[in-house]
Amino acid sequence: MGWASAVRKPTAQTKVAAAVKIVSRPQIETADVDWDRLVSLDFETFYDADYTLSKLSTSEYVRDERFEASMVGIKIGNKKTKVVPHSKIAAELAAINWETHSVLCHNIQFDGFILSHHYGVFPKRYYCTLGMARGLHSNEIGAGLHDVSVFYGGKGKIDGGVEGMKGVRFKELFANKPLWKRSAEYCANDVDETFRIFCAMHPLFPAKEMDLIHMTARMFCAPVLKIDIPRVQTEYEREVTRREELLLNLLNPRDYDDVLDGKDKKLEGKERDMRIVKKVVGSNERFVALFEALGIARDQLPRKLSPAWMKKNQAEREEAIDSKWAFAFAKDDLDFVSMPDRVWGYFPHLDPANPKDVLEAAELSEKLQQLIDTRIAVKSTINITRAERFLKAGANGMALPVGYAYYRAHTGRWGGNNKMNMQNLTRGGELRLSILADKGHQIAVADSGQIEARVNAWLWDQFDLLDAFRDKRDVYSEFATDIYGRKITKEDKNDRHVGKVCLAGDTRVFTNRGLLSITDVKPTDLLWDGLEWVKHDGLIYQGYKPVQKHRGLSATGDHEILTARGWQEWREVRTNPSLFQSALSLANSPSCAGNPMSAPMASSKATGLFAAVRAATSPLWPRATYVLAVPRAATCAPSALPLSNGTGSTSTPWRMTTTGRGYSTAFRLLSVGAATRATHRISTMANAALSSGMVGATTEHHFWCTCKRFLAGTTRLWSLIGSTTTTATDPAMSGLQPSLSTLATSARSKTWSGASANSKTRTHVYDLANAGPRSRFTVMTDDGPVIVHNCVLGLGYQMGAPKLQMTLAKGALGGPKIALSIDQCQHIVNTYRRKYYAIKQGWDRSKDFIEHMSNPDLEPIQYKCLEIGFEYIRLPNGMCLKYPDLRMAKGEKGWDEWSYQSGDIRKKIYGGLLCENLVQALARIIVAEQMLMIDTKYPVVMTTHDEAVTHPKTKDAAKCYAFMEKCMTTPLWWCPEIPLAAEGGFAENYSK
């Protein structure tokens, strides 16, 4: 460990460099290759016009009965490459001792799968120059053999080497000597260039990354997992049926026969009808016409910047300015998928107050939803095609080739391969559950818990987060609770990321303007949270959902209510008289001065001085009344009192700090520094209206009269039902409100059964975002106020308000969709950045890294395990994040933006995005090297994001999982202090 000063870019506004903690990094350890036993090879295979890899996955192509290896080029060590014809391939390969020999290819999964499936060859080790090129030269060059060969000074692939081979079987090829010779030269050249670039890249390539290439190739070329064919078949049929119903119910195909052309005109029956609907819905112009037929004009339809236009350079954009905007008809376009919720805006002639118009609006909304669902079904068939590939892969009991593209992402993450994208299997989904262990084995899964959040906190020294991880607290739940507003636990599943936000539109909310319907609450209104007036971030519409009604409150069953047993779901509170009564007892309503008023007084049954709060539209008393009062001393109470309880329960005295002569707790008194202890609710007539101050607060000048002496004190309510009486009540208190009445316990019991009957209906539901520091506000029931929680949201790396809005509307991390205004999202973003200031500073430091990378005259600097140099950041495993041609230019919005060249397009980069790149790259290194630890004892057969999956024997499953958990909680040498965690288990299928 050591310290180093960062070298800054010299500018007119040079920033002062901060000392940063670094970790010394050893030289790159390269793989120990047995060069004499390295077999470089390349297969040339038969293919025809209708049977190409562009249509089939690798495994489908190789396993097809028509497959034929026309020839293979083989080079062992430094020996001359020889080309072996089809008839001699098996014998030539069998002559090699594969227990001691390794195989090298460019795209090892293709040639390696041919070796294993057709020739039973499983080499000692797999090497792949395609993977090495991706890892070493990401963003610089293409990873194809020709590009890499030329980059390393070679001649590349022979141009036109396979011309004339299409559709030619081996016998025909071998008989055509000129064609055979040209094809053989082409094959041999590929082998020679593969070996040459391997020799060039090997000294630059870390040994552990070479191990990962081998492990990735083995998952595909030597598969062991099986497929539950009946389960996949059921899922496939369900998806096909759902899609057919969507398409065939949308329109009458006979009205669109003219859209068919060519071979499509010969189709008949359902196949013909499906083709017609696909063509109509798949065409933007015809799809627009369907909206116009409903009465929605073309210019009302959602639009977005054209992705094709965005890829053009500035000059090309100016020439193609007319194509800048495109219709936003994709499944990720918020304005498109939310069209049914805006039906009143599209059809302003409809009157929400007219029952007939309401029915018509509902029908139009359903038609819009049908259009949207059908468009998405036509454009996205991933569930069907993936199920088809699973069926083909597992046919006849064959093992599932688990394909990943090594170093597919800029940050080193694996990508999808073999047209299945095994990185994107939904947890709990049917396809994931259909993956089975072989007989006598189990599938063991260990997931690196919150790895990116841990790395992010470690990288930028967000110590409070690190401490929470180290203490094994559920940080995701705490994060959601602290930032976004409701108590979240691990059992809440989706609710760790998004909120349960569901109150009916007629819910009555306590505001500083009085009791208002939740839909009438404005962002400027203050909400009563039971202790004080708090701000909020406005109304959130949450769709049309089923609600449960009881005693005047309608809410979804999962909305939480504060009770004596903590936060409980409305479905439980509504059906449990004791819980409901305790919710009433813990709540209170505000008085004129902003002090709590007890539930009985705020109840619909209350009369007299405070009953009007239920409909108040302004404070009950003007401030001028109470500012003229004479200062008095703070209250005090005796240390003990004789107790009396109307319902048989026992109460405890309410104690307060003595700061002077005692006066009645019925009123708030003016005092310079007096403070009283906390009391959530006092159930004692007038005293409940204006009780003492909050915890730690001084007694202020907000009171409306002085009071008489009262030294007897009061008692605090603890019972879940009924009311608690007080002793030695001052006459002044009892006389203030002679008309006040409360329900007796017996009367409440008599009316409960009728009130608690189920009342489930569907209605529009809402919530109020971020209601103060306690994330709660007060609503009114027929029996009095109760306290409810508000919504939960989620954020990412330097995510701005627009992106947050879009992310939540799509359904963050698979959760329910939440629609927020841009102002609400901006407030949430600001709250996040205030809380996690060290991470925010990390974004700023990342921006400084960008500036440093852009200057070729600066020496590399180090920050922790990173080396920042000209257009690169070297990672602790020896690999680099590369940002070629990094420069600043004016963006479309007129401000300076950094960008770099990635292939044939330019990509933007900014502090938050670089931070994300760094965190993802470091997290990937941790998980990858943990998998290598596991692989030394139990071969890894799959990986999904941050999961390692093994295939132990059933008798060893528990021991295997324990070893996996140990490996995935072991930090690497460059981050020894980072707290890691893992969770998972084992089963007969991929269910963990």
Side-chain angles (χ1 to χ4, degrees), residues 513-533:
R513 293 192 295 129
L515 272 176
L516 300 177
S517 168
I518 192 170
T519 56
D520 293 330
V521 177
K522 298 179 179 180
T524 55
D525 290 333
L526 299 179
L527 305 179
W528 181 251
D529 76 347
L531 292 177
E532 60 182 330
W533 293 108

Side-chain angles (χ1 to χ4, degrees), residues 106 129-130 133-134 137 139-158 189-190 193-194 196-197 201 903-904:
H106 195 83
T129 48
L130 172 65
R134 280 178 177 160
H137 303 297
N139 290 330
E140 290 182 309
I141 60 173
L145 179 58
H146 180 81
D147 290 344
V148 181
S149 172
V150 172
F151 181 82
Y152 281 99
K155 60 184 177 181
K157 297 172 75 72
I158 296 177
N189 179 73
D190 281 2
E193 287 304 294
T194 297
R196 189 182 66 82
I197 63 175
M201 289 189 289
D904 58 353

Side-chain angles (χ1 to χ4, degrees), residues 951-969:
H951 188 243
K953 293 182 178 179
T954 301
K955 64 182 181 66
D956 297 327
K959 183 168 60 175
C960 171
Y961 175 71
F963 179 74
M964 294 173 71
E965 188 177 36
K966 180 180 179 180
C967 291
M968 298 199 79
T969 54

Side-chain angles (χ1 to χ4, degrees), residues 828-847:
I828 294 163
V829 168
N830 293 340
T831 302
Y832 174 87
R833 295 177 181 182
R834 284 195 300 270
K835 179 176 179 65
Y836 294 118
Y837 61 90
I839 292 177
K840 180 181 181 298
Q841 291 172 357
W843 304 336
D844 296 335
R845 178 167 280 169
S846 297
K847 183 179 178 182

Side-chain angles (χ1 to χ4, degrees), residues 447 485 495 583 718 727 766 790 801 927 954 992:
D447 182 15
D495 305 324
W718 286 102
T727 59
Y766 307 84
N790 67 190
V927 173
T954 301
K992 298 299 180 182

